Amino acid sequence: MSDKKSEKFSFSNFLMKSDGAVSVLVVILGFLCANILVMLVGRNPSGIYKSILQVVTGLNVNNGKWNIRYVGEWLNYSVPFVLCGLCMAFTCRAGLFNIGGEGQYIIGMTVAQLIALTFPPIPFIHVFVAVIAGTMAGIIWGGIVGFLKARFEVSEVVATIMLNYTALYLSRIITISIPGTNTYKTINYAETASLRLGFLSKLTNSSSMNAGFFIMLLCVVIYWFIMEKTNIGFGLRATGFNKHAARASGIPVVSSIVIAMAVSGAFAGLAGSIVALGSFKYGRVIASMDNYGFTGIAVALVGNNTAIGTLFAGLLFGMLQAAQPIMQSNKIPKEITFIIQGLVVVFISLKAGLRIFLAWQEKRKIEKSSKAGGAK
């Protein structure tokens, strides 16, 4: 009997404390469920893993050919997922829920495109100004929500949802007004506005991988440093745990909320800038959302809002997206990648629910034991 209790206690500890291990577990469960679904429709699930192997190594198991271009595309796809994941994670650590990553991404992309098409084509300076301008646009877009939340107690969920659509249609209005633009795209950028690097293109066999990948890695380090090693990060985390206790301790809660939303917007705006200047040679007139900001919510959840966790979760989601066209060639419906993503998020949510249940159960045990002790 005591052995069973100790086993249950150890399992509870695992769920309550081992965030990284649980994230790995839910990813495995997501793939296992996908295997079952693929077999139910009469397909061979090995096609999933052949596609993933080709993405992460470049090796095509079917014909034995190797092409590193697939690896470059995977890393390039992962960049906006990681940055939008950091966008969501940063606000979560401050006790906020930013659904506006998509709008901040769009506004950053739009401003970067505008600068790329209008700024003088000066080497290095042109692309630098475009990326910074896109990032600043994201800061402003996120900061608006932070100000409304801090000053007027406006729900950040409602405000960010509304600003997503504002950003989408504002982007269309701005981009279409640029001379030479049709209903789909603008004229090509000058070469000085591109984030692509010649040596990376050669190294990855003309893939879309660009300097944005290294900017993303730098952002992961910056996120970790701010959140774990600075007074600002401590204030944000304290606000996230309990804003009333933080205020009583002298932490400026109002400014923490504004800073959290503004920095969050910076990550998403930077993601939009990198996609605009790294993956495309022209500005896009977007008809709908790219959904990087929304998927970033899932990335942050899977990564437990940590720097390294968000990085690996972003690489996972980028891998699934890069594998879609390859899966079709392996007779696997590309929609299976969305199913895997959805299942992972569901299992992560179940983990949170199970934790609440275990905490409630533990509380009941303590109450029962205290009552029994009082009766004696």
Side-chain angles (χ1 to χ4, degrees), residues 7-29:
E7 282 176 16
K8 192 173 183 180
F9 177 75
S10 64
F11 179 66
S12 300
N13 277 346
F14 175 75
L15 286 171
M16 296 294 285
K17 296 178 181 178
S18 305
D19 285 329
V22 172
S23 290
V24 173
L25 178 62
V26 298
V27 170
I28 293 171
L29 286 173

Side-chain angles (χ1 to χ4, degrees), residues 5-318:
K5 285 185 179 178
S6 64
E7 282 176 16
K8 192 173 183 180
F9 177 75
S10 64
F11 179 66
S12 300
N13 277 346
F14 175 75
L15 286 171
M16 296 294 285
K17 296 178 181 178
S18 305
D19 285 329
V22 172
S23 290
V24 173
L25 178 62
V26 298
V27 170
I28 293 171
L29 286 173
F31 275 96
L32 288 175
C33 290
N35 286 351
I36 295 170
L37 290 173
V38 169
M39 287 189 288
L40 286 175
V41 296
R43 305 292 174 86
N44 188 346
S46 65
I48 298 174
Y49 303 102
K50 287 179 183 179
S51 304
I52 289 172
L53 181 66
Q54 189 170 344
V55 165
V56 298
T57 66
L59 178 64
N60 187 333
V61 177
N62 295 323
N63 57 23
K65 292 181 180 179
W66 178 75
N67 189 346
I68 199 170
R69 187 175 187 275
Y70 293 106
V71 180
E73 295 295 342
W74 161 43
L75 297 178
N76 184 55
Y77 274 126
S78 300
V79 171
F81 286 125
V82 174
L83 289 173
C84 289
L86 293 176
C87 163
M88 177 62 184
F90 202 89
T91 51
C92 279
R93 297 290 288 272
L96 301 168
F97 199 81
N98 181 12
I99 306 182
E102 187 68 21
Q104 293 146 23
Y105 161 89
I106 289 172
I107 211 70
M109 178 195 74
T110 304
V111 172
Q113 289 179 169
L114 186 62
I115 298 298
L117 291 164
T118 59
F119 196 83
I122 305 169
F124 303 109
I125 295 177
H126 190 182
V127 68
F128 177 78
V129 171
V131 170
I132 293 299
T135 306
M136 289 300 298
I139 289 173
I140 294 169
W141 211 251
I144 291 170
V145 178
F147 173 76
L148 292 174
K149 172 72 174 180
R151 183 70 179 82
F152 303 107
E153 288 292 325
V154 175
S155 169
E156 74 276 12
V157 175
V158 176
T160 50
I161 290 173
M162 294 299 100
L163 283 175
N164 283 340
Y165 291 98
T166 304
L168 173 63
Y169 295 113
L170 185 61
S171 174
R172 288 182 58 81
I173 293 169
I174 292 172
T175 310
I176 288 175
S177 67
I178 299 171
T181 303
N182 57 33
T183 56
Y184 171 65
K185 66 174 185 174
T186 68
I187 59 174
N188 286 352
Y189 307 137
E191 287 292 326
T192 52
S194 177
L195 280 169
R196 298 199 181 192
L197 301 173
F199 82 93
L200 270 182
S201 184
K202 289 180 182 177
L203 187 66
T204 60
N205 194 20
S206 301
S207 78
S208 299
M209 187 180 177
N210 55 75
F213 178 76
F214 303 107
I215 297 172
M216 176 270 287
L217 292 178
L218 178 62
C219 286
V220 172
V221 176
I222 290 171
Y223 174 94
W224 169 81
F225 182 78
I226 291 175
M227 200 55 71
E228 306 295 341
K229 300 295 180 180
T230 66
N231 290 332
I232 293 174
F234 175 78
L236 292 171
R237 286 184 284 119
T239 302
F241 283 125
N242 189 322
K243 69 178 181 180
H244 302 294
R247 187 181 286 112
S249 301
I251 293 170
V253 173
V254 171
S255 60
S256 292
I257 291 172
V258 177
I259 289 170
M261 288 303 304
V263 175
S264 174
F267 286 125
L270 179 59
S273 302
I274 290 172
V275 171
L277 306 177
S279 298
F280 295 91
K281 297 181 180 180
Y282 52 84
R284 291 184 297 150
V285 181
I286 54 174
S288 60
M289 298 179 185
D290 286 347
N291 289 324
Y292 286 120
F294 296 127
T295 309
I297 298 172
V299 171
L301 288 173
V302 175
N304 296 303
N305 299 323
T306 64
I308 191 68
T310 304
L311 172 62
F312 283 121
L315 290 171
L316 169 68
F317 279 70

